[in-house]
Amino acid sequence: MFTGTAEELRARQEQAHELAEQAAALLDQIDALDLGEGTGQLRTPGGIIRNRPGQGWTVATR
């Protein structure tokens, strides 16, 4: 459990979201290999990474 300040928590949440955005970009690159599109979603501290048909992988906040 995180025990830092509210400011530290916000900074870490922002960093987690940025990393989730990078993961979504990697998943788009994997799908671009045309080996079959991924399905479903991944839950991370940075948000939910979802595969949106026709839009690729996106990050949604909770």
Side-chain angles (χ1 to χ4, degrees), residues 1 33 56 58:
M1 177 61 93
L33 296 173
T58 60

Side-chain angles (χ1 to χ4, degrees), residues 4-62:
T5 67
E7 185 177 305
E8 290 171 327
L9 177 61
R10 281 189 296 277
R12 287 182 184 202
Q13 287 172 328
E14 183 177 319
Q15 183 180 14
H17 186 81
E18 289 171 9
L19 291 170
E21 291 281 353
Q22 291 175 26
L26 288 172
L27 291 166
D28 279 335
Q29 290 176 34
I30 290 169
D31 285 347
L33 296 173
D34 230 2
L35 299 172
E37 205 169 290
T39 58
Q41 64 185 15
L42 302 168
R43 293 183 180 271
T44 73
I48 301 170
I49 304 170
R50 292 188 174 122
N51 187 358
R52 303 272 169 118
Q55 297 177 348
W57 291 87
T58 60
V59 179
T61 56
R62 299 175 195 254

